[in-house]
């Protein structure tokens, strides 16, 4: 896989950037930035957004996108929270192991179902991924609003052990994120599924004519994305003990930013999961760093500004690398779809 | 170009849906057809309508510009700040032009970035969305401005058409509706009868063919983003006029309604398709749906579900019309059908 090898220079860059940021912040704020408390808090915070970034990255590798990740995560936590509040007595009641396990399975199934629905729209009905997931995002947010009536469900403590717990000094959510990244990485780089996925992302027509079961691939990819989003939703439920339909509205942009920063080509076919993991950590370091340095209010807006700038700078640097993949027509349209379709027309 | 043959049909479907919805709501609530309600529906359509027309112009050239709400707030807040700092007594026309220019500049940045970076426009404009908004909120200000220039307040009192309602009350059509309708008319004429308008469709339909025809593809694309920015900024400015308040944190969150309106109106995400009339009908459909669910006895919480379903159905319509659902086409040339859609 020559495509993969060429990305390694990006991984080195990302690694250097991470070390540089940690080094600088460690020197500027040695007592706070490198304290175990801060490191743990950074790991905890990056796990939810990290899982959502993986969910976007896997769809982006096929040249698609999933904008419904955050809506899926929220609808999952809302369904689970509703289920738990119905089965567990309020205040002081503890969920039994069986109920917690049931809630976990239901949650994962909700995410799986949301993903399958996206896959159905894209693979069977031929919707463009952007529009399909934009529509399902609205739909899932709507379902979440109907279930909660727009209120926050709180006092759901069944997943608190996972959300607040840690093993070997590392927060459990971070371990789950890293495990998910590891499994996804192995599947994408060592299994046939991954090979097909990269092939499909690099050249849809070639993949189709080489006899890949296109429908199954798209269904699987969006189902994986849905399940990863559901895990993010469950972790969030565990960390905050609450579920809300508006939670993390800015995460969609952030997850796309992280994927692109991590070297996933927005037109598909190139990029590695390890890059995404590094990008998550870099953004988290930066975000915490900005908070430490600009402690006065408004640093959220500065962050928003910084995210946008970073995304554009990364696109500018990576621009040539991306365009090499979609070379066929110079005047290509801007949507990933058109790029590939254009290359299909011009042999 | 299949435009004249294909699209009246799609717009027809939207128009029929709109009429049926209006009749359904009208029979339940007689007030629906009153001047008061129709005028207020039109007034509610102007801001999302202006955004939607701008969004549609970028869709025509095959791009996606989601930064419009950011441009709207920057245009609104920037204009008010500038006016208060340098020329508080500025006449309305000057304020309007300043807002338009701010939008044009931000749109130009979008256009240049998209054409130069050669990255998907959705991702580029997601970047500028947070860049513009973050810049405004961190470097310029987060506070509401209640003392807007007097020209804005006075302009807000203007009605273009005053009707007497059944109960004798005077009902006026707000002037922002007239501005919106004028812009729709101008965009309609430009798209249909000028070389520029036809170039936009050509670039969106098939960039390679457009280039071989001698069209400067990048310039046309950049211009589309520039026009979209201008309209977005005008929309933001008019929303401040209507509220007599410049709130830099407003407008965000209305993105989906706007995108839904353009797509429901028949614009295709692959570019080269759709008409302003369709977008206008799409806007009305969204606004009436939002306003009327309660009348129809549907709880407000279902509003998003309704919009989501409407959006998903609307995306499927053109595919259905082209027979995209048949299994044989799916297997043989899905991608090709979509691109060569012009001849379908």
């Amino acid at each position: 896989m020559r495509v993969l090898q060429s990305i390694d220079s990006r991984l080195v860059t990302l690694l250097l950037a991470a070390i540089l940021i940690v080094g600088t912040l460690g020197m500027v704020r040695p007592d706070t930035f490198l304290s175990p408390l801060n490191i743990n808090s950074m790991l905890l915070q990056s796990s939810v957004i990290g899982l959502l970034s993986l969910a976007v990255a896997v769809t982006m590798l096929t040249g698609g996108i999933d904008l419904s990740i955050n809506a899926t995560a929220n609808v999952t936590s809302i369904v689970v929270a509703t289920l738990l509040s119905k089965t567990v007595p309020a205040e002081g009641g503890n969920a039994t192991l069986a109920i917690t396990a049931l809630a976990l399975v239901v949650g994962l199934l909700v995410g799986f179902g949301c993903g399958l629905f996206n896959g159905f729209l894209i693979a069977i009905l031929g919707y463009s991924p952007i529009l399909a997931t934009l529509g399902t995002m609205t739909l899932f947010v709507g379902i979440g609003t109907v279930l909660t009536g727009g209120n926050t469900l709180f006092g759901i403590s069944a997943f608190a052990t996972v959300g607040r717990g840690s093993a070997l000094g590392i927060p459990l959510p971070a371990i789950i994120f890293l495990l998910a990244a590891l499994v996804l990485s192995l599947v994408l780089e060592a299994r046939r599924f991954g090979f097909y996925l990269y092939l499909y992302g690099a050249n849809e027509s070639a993949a189709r004519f080489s006899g890949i079961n296109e429908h199954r691939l798209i269904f699987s990819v969006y189902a994986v994305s849905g399940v990863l989003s559901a895990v993010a939703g469950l972790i969030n439920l565990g960390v905050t003990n609450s579920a809300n339909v508006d939670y993390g509205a800015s995460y969609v942009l952030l997850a796309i930013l992280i994927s692109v920063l991590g070297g996933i080509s927005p037109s598909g076919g190139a990029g590695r999961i390890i890059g995404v993991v590094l990008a998550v950590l870099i953004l988290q370091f930066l975000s915490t760093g900005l908070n430490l340095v600009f402690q006065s209010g408004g640093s959220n807006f500065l962050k928003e500004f910084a995210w946008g700038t970073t995304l554009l700078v990364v696109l500018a640097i990576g621009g040539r690398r991306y365009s090499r993949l979609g070379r066929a027509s110079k005047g290509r349209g801007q949507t990933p779809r058109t790029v590939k379709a254009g290359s299909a027309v011009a042999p | 170009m299949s435009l004249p043959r294909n699209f009246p049909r799609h717009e027809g479907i939207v128009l029929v849906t709109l009429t049926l919805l209006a009749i359904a709501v009208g029979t339940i609530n007689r007030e629906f057809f009153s001047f008061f309600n129709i005028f207020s529906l039109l007034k509610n359509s102007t801001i999302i309508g202006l955004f939607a027309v701008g969004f549609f112009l970028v869709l025509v050239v095959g791009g996606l510009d989601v930064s419009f709400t950011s441009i709207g707030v920057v245009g609104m807040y920037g204009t008010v700040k500038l006016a208060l700092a340098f020329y508080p007594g500025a006449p309305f026309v000057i304020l309007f032009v300043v807002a338009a220019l701010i939008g044009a500049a931000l749109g130009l940045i979008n256009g240049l970035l998209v054409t130069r970076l050669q990255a998907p426009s959705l991702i580029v404009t997601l970047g500028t969305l947070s860049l513009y908004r973050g810049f405004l909120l961190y470097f310029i200000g987060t506070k509401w401005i209640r003392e807007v220039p007097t020209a804005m307040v006075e302009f807000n009192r203007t009605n273009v058409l005053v009707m007497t309602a059944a109960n004798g009350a005077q009902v006026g059509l707000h002037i922002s509706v007239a501005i919106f309708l004028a812009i729709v008319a101008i965009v309609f004429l430009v798209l249909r009868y000028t070389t520029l308008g036809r170039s936009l469709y050509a670039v969106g339909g098939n960039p390679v063919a457009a280039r071989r025809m001698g069209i400067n593809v990048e310039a046309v694309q950049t211009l589309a983003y520039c026009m979209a920015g201008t309209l977005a900024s005008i929309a933001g400015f008019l929303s401040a006029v209507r509220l007599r308040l410049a709130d830099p944190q407003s407008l965000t969150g209305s993105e989906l309604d706007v995108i839904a309106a353009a797509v429901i109106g028949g614009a295709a995400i692959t570019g080269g398709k759709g008409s302003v009339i369709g977008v206008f009908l799409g806007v009305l459909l969204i606004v009436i749906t939002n306003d009327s669910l309660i009348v129809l006895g549907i709880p407000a919480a279902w509003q998003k579900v309704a919009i989501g379903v409407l959006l998903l159905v609307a995306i499927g319509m053109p595919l259905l019309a082209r027979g995209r659902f048949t299994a044989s086409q799916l297997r043989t040339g899905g991608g090709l059908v979509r691109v060569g859609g012009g001849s379908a």
Side-chain angles (χ1 to χ4, degrees):
Chain A
M1 302 212 105
R2 219 172 300 154
V3 175
L4 291 185
Q5 281 161 10
S6 71
I7 303 295
D8 280 349
S9 65
R10 176 181 282 269
L11 286 184
V12 175
T13 320
L14 284 173
L15 206 58
L16 285 178
I19 293 168
L20 193 71
I21 293 166
V22 172
T24 315
L25 287 167
M27 276 195 283
V28 177
R29 291 265 190 279
D31 43 336
T32 42
F33 189 76
L34 290 177
S35 69
L37 189 69
N38 188 48
I39 291 176
N40 266 354
S41 129
M42 284 195 294
L43 283 174
L44 182 65
Q45 284 173 39
S46 51
S47 52
V48 170
I49 184 65
L51 283 161
L52 292 175
S53 307
L54 294 179
V56 170
V58 71
T59 58
M60 228 183 233
L61 282 175
T62 63
I65 200 164
D66 188 350
L67 300 175
S68 70
I69 43 163
N70 196 49
T72 304
N74 284 336
V75 95
T76 303
S77 57
I78 286 168
V79 168
V80 169
T82 316
L83 181 76
L84 286 169
S85 65
K86 291 267 156 57
T87 49
V88 179
E91 286 320 304
N94 275 327
T96 61
L97 197 61
I99 291 180
T100 312
L102 176 73
L104 180 69
V105 172
V106 168
L108 294 178
L109 279 178
V110 170
F112 186 67
C114 289
L116 281 187
F117 186 56
N118 282 332
F120 169 75
L121 293 174
I122 295 161
I124 307 292
L125 298 189
Y127 284 25
S128 79
I130 294 179
L131 286 184
T133 56
L134 193 71
T136 55
M137 170 173 129
T138 324
L139 189 65
F140 299 156
V141 169
I143 293 172
T145 315
V146 170
L147 286 176
T148 57
N151 301 316
T152 303
L153 305 172
F154 49 86
I156 316 291
S157 56
F159 290 101
T161 18
V162 178
R164 308 257 166 89
S166 58
L168 306 170
I170 305 168
L172 281 176
I175 295 181
I176 297 175
F177 161 54
L178 292 174
L179 268 181
L182 184 68
V183 172
L184 195 60
S185 203
L186 288 176
V187 168
L188 288 185
E189 288 178 24
R191 310 289 302 180
R192 195 185 293 163
F193 172 74
F195 179 77
Y196 286 164
L197 193 145
Y198 277 105
L199 176 58
Y200 184 85
N203 191 334
E204 201 178 312
S205 306
R208 192 177 295 129
F209 288 122
S210 73
I212 285 179
N213 189 338
E214 192 187 345
H215 289 185
R216 204 166 80 190
L217 181 73
I218 294 298
F219 266 111
S220 320
V221 164
Y222 285 88
V224 167
S225 172
V227 169
L228 286 169
S229 308
V231 175
L234 291 174
I235 287 182
N236 197 39
L237 182 64
V239 173
T240 62
N241 283 359
S242 65
N244 182 340
V245 76
D246 294 326
Y247 186 82
S250 60
Y251 277 5
V252 180
L253 167 69
L254 206 51
I256 294 173
L257 164 63
I258 288 171
S259 299
V260 175
L261 182 68
I264 308 284
S265 159
S267 34
R272 296 177 67 185
I273 295 301
I274 174 88
V276 179
V277 175
L278 282 175
V280 173
L281 294 177
I282 288 177
L283 272 200
Q284 187 59 52
F285 295 154
L286 264 181
S287 160
T288 311
L290 285 176
N291 278 347
L292 286 176
V293 178
F294 298 88
Q295 275 165 341
S296 57
S299 68
N300 274 336
F301 302 131
L302 180 62
K303 251 188 258 174
E304 199 175 339
F305 175 70
W307 293 168
T309 316
T310 316
L311 179 59
L312 293 171
V313 169
V314 171
L315 283 176
I317 296 169
R320 265 167 214 95
R321 192 171 291 141
Y322 296 142
S323 54
R324 194 188 52 195
L325 290 163
R327 192 84 275 183
S329 63
K330 197 183 165 239
R332 59 191 208 158
Q334 269 73 40
T335 57
R337 282 263 150 203
T338 341
V339 176
K340 251 169 274 135
S343 51
V345 174
Chain B
M1 282 255 152
S2 59
L3 217 65
R5 203 156 44 106
N6 245 352
F7 273 93
R9 193 166 66 185
H10 184 85
E11 284 150 11
I13 298 172
V14 181
L15 189 61
V16 169
T17 318
L18 190 63
T19 318
L20 289 178
L21 182 68
I23 292 172
V25 180
T27 38
I28 297 169
N29 180 6
R30 287 292 155 82
E31 288 297 299
F32 183 80
F33 289 112
S34 65
F35 282 121
F36 177 76
N37 190 50
I38 290 173
F39 284 2
S40 88
L41 280 178
L42 281 172
K43 195 175 164 185
N44 290 344
S45 310
T46 50
I47 307 297
I48 98 159
L50 283 170
F51 280 139
V53 171
F55 182 79
F56 161 72
L57 285 173
V58 175
L59 270 187
V60 168
V61 296
L64 264 179
D65 180 357
V66 291
S67 67
F68 50 85
T69 51
S70 268
I71 296 185
V73 282
V74 175
M76 163 221 284
Y77 205 71
T79 307
V80 172
K81 270 254 167 178
L82 281 176
L84 291 178
F86 298 109
Y87 190 8
F92 187 81
V93 180
I94 292 192
L95 296 176
F96 190 85
V97 170
V98 168
L101 287 178
I102 292 178
L106 296 181
L108 183 67
I109 297 178
N110 275 344
L112 290 176
L113 284 173
V114 168
T115 47
R116 294 293 141 86
L117 295 185
Q118 295 261 308
S121 53
L122 170 74
I123 292 168
V124 172
T125 54
L126 270 175
T128 54
L129 168 78
S130 65
L131 190 152
Y132 296 155
R133 211 178 94 91
F135 181 82
L136 175 75
L137 291 172
Y138 189 75
F139 294 103
I140 300 183
T142 52
K143 289 203 173 58
W144 291 13
I145 301 180
R146 288 179 183 283
E147 266 83 55
V148 295
T150 42
M152 287 167 71
V153 180
E154 266 164 38
F155 189 78
N156 188 40
R157 295 208 190 96
T158 321
N159 287 317
V160 279
L161 181 69
V162 180
M163 305 295 275
T164 311
N167 60 4
Q170 299 278 304
V171 190
L173 183 64
H174 195 264
I175 189 153
S176 61
V177 178
I179 295 181
F180 170 51
L181 293 178
I183 287 176
V184 168
I186 292 169
V187 173
F188 175 80
L189 293 174
V190 167
L191 282 183
R192 181 151 260 198
Y193 296 110
T194 65
T195 319
L196 169 66
R198 302 326 288 172
S199 312
L200 288 171
Y201 281 106
V203 166
N206 190 335
V208 178
R211 190 183 306 282
R212 288 185 189 156
M213 264 162 64
I215 295 174
N216 185 340
V217 172
E218 278 79 19
V220 170
Q221 284 173 338
T222 309
L223 200 61
Y225 285 92
C226 204
M227 292 190 284
T230 310
L231 292 182
S233 185
I234 291 175
F237 176 65
L238 286 180
S239 83
V241 168
R242 287 232 302 255
L243 298 170
R244 280 165 291 150
L245 168 79
D247 172 8
Q249 301 202 47
S250 63
L251 297 176
T252 341
S254 61
E255 286 93 350
L256 270 175
D257 282 354
V258 170
I259 297 172
V263 172
I264 287 170
I269 202 156
T270 41
K273 294 205 179 292
S275 75
V276 183
I277 305 299
V279 175
F280 181 66
L281 294 174
V283 169
L284 286 183
L285 192 59
I286 292 280
V287 170
I288 294 181
T289 311
N290 275 341
D291 283 10
S292 313
L293 287 179
I294 300 161
V295 177
L296 291 171
I298 302 166
W302 287 86
Q303 197 164 309
K304 283 252 172 179
V305 178
I307 301 283
V309 171
L310 207 58
L311 184 56
L312 287 174
V313 171
I315 306 164
M317 287 281 217
L319 304 174
L320 187 69
R322 255 178 286 157
R324 180 69 178 72
F325 290 142
T326 55
S328 60
Q329 264 180 320
L330 253 184
R331 289 312 306 171
T332 52
L336 301 181
V337 171
R338 230 165 300 142
V339 178
S343 60

